[in-house]
Amino acid sequence: MPVVSHTASDDAKLHLGAAIGAHALSSKPFQLALVTSTVYAEFHPDDAGLVDALHGHGIEPVACVWNDPAVDWTRFDAVLVRTTWDYFRHYDDFLAWYDRIEALGLPIANELPLLRWNSNKRYLLELAAQGVAIIPTVSARGDALAETVAAMAGQDVVIKPTVSGGAWHTVRGRVGQAAFAESLAALPRELDYLVQPFMAEIVAEGEWSLMFFDGHYSHAVLKKPHAGDYRVQTDFGGSASLTEPDPAILAAARHALDAVAELGYRDQAYVRVDGVMTADGFRLMELEFIEPFLHFAAYPPAAALFAAQLARRWPSVRESATLDAG
């Protein structure tokens, strides 16, 4: 179900109302846990504008490592997941942390059902069933990988765990070649995997990332791998540049988010839509609802818009916290 749009002036009025209301009630800052990991425990530099903008709304963001036993989650009014870039290495513990946040009744963006659903990339197959154009994808258990790829002899493929990030346990190669067979044999057999054809368009043209906040498109970047590589992550030398997508790409991204809403996840506080443009149109690669790099530095106004949206999201919680303190 598409989100009803509103104007920039509406945003400004709501932003002002939320800020004035909060400060009128109390000078006590609203405590927001910005959830991080040991991979990047503090505020990430790309989130600096968001942190500043939150302060402008009377919101005090605090960096908290998700699995740090010293963190007292009960001291916070709400939770925002940001740089939990190791959750796939500790997946069961991460899901247990979700359960703990839910048991405490802490408001969280995005909401927990959506975060749980998005944590396993098999969601792509659900979206394909909803009519979303994805990269052709097959799911396979680790102990069945060899059998699965054997039917793809001669094809250039990419294999990644269904729960993963940052190219973790990701391999690329041509089926039937010895080097690829060695890489395949080294993968952990206890994991589940996605098998996809390698998209040469990523190297030739780049991978698109489109940012949406509260259902509204904000900005996009075009990511390209370093020469000789196929991975677009900056850890591997990739780059990203602010680029405006054409209407077909934007429409395809919106279609994917509408399909997520049709699956029951209508409240989408923030998301990054990743995909590649092919001869057949835009193909979805991933939806990042959990811990996306949001490229605020590439488009600084987005940080202020996201902070304003978050300030509007939890006004009743802020009022309750203030009354309890009084």
Side-chain angles (χ1 to χ4, degrees), residues 80-239:
L80 174 64
V81 180
R82 286 305 302 124
T83 57
T84 57
W85 292 340
D86 64 351
Y87 79 87
F88 48 88
R89 297 176 183 269
H90 313 281
Y91 188 50
D92 289 341
D93 290 340
F94 193 64
L95 293 181
W97 177 78
Y98 278 167
D99 292 342
R100 182 181 179 192
I101 295 301
E102 185 172 52
L104 291 172
L106 280 174
I108 184 169
N110 285 299
E111 294 187 343
L112 286 170
L114 174 57
L115 294 179
R116 291 189 181 101
W117 174 81
N118 189 231
S119 67
N120 189 308
K121 294 181 187 358
R122 278 195 294 247
Y123 68 78
L124 288 169
L125 301 176
E126 293 185 55
L127 293 177
Q130 293 289 109
V132 176
I134 68 170
I135 294 176
T137 300
V138 176
S139 176
R141 283 284 304 170
D143 55 9
L145 265 178
E147 179 181 349
T148 300
V149 301
M152 307 170 75
Q155 295 186 42
D156 198 359
V157 302
V158 175
I159 297 176
K160 65 183 73 173
T162 58
V163 179
S164 66
W168 183 66
H169 288 317
T170 296
V171 299
R172 173 202 167 188
R174 188 170 297 276
V175 180
Q177 292 185 344
F180 176 72
E182 291 178 7
S183 297
L184 190 65
L187 291 174
R189 288 293 181 258
E190 68 273 14
L191 301 179
D192 294 332
Y193 293 87
L194 300 182
V195 182
Q196 301 172 323
F198 172 68
M199 308 301 291
E201 293 89 345
I202 294 175
V203 174
E205 304 294 336
E207 176 185 322
W208 285 94
S209 285
L210 294 83
M211 270 55 68
F212 290 77
F213 300 105
D214 202 20
H216 301 282
Y217 167 70
S218 171
H219 61 290
V221 297
L222 186 60
K223 302 182 292 190
K224 295 187 176 182
H226 183 69
D229 206 329
Y230 68 96
R231 297 164 295 189
V232 299
Q233 293 91 344
T234 56
D235 289 347
F236 302 105
S239 63

Side-chain angles (χ1 to χ4, degrees), residues 1-6 213-216 254 257-258 261 266 268:
M1 182 177 68
V3 179
V4 178
S5 67
H6 51 263
F213 300 105
D214 202 20
H216 301 282
R254 292 187 187 280
L257 297 182
D258 287 345
R266 299 182 181 277
Q268 302 171 15

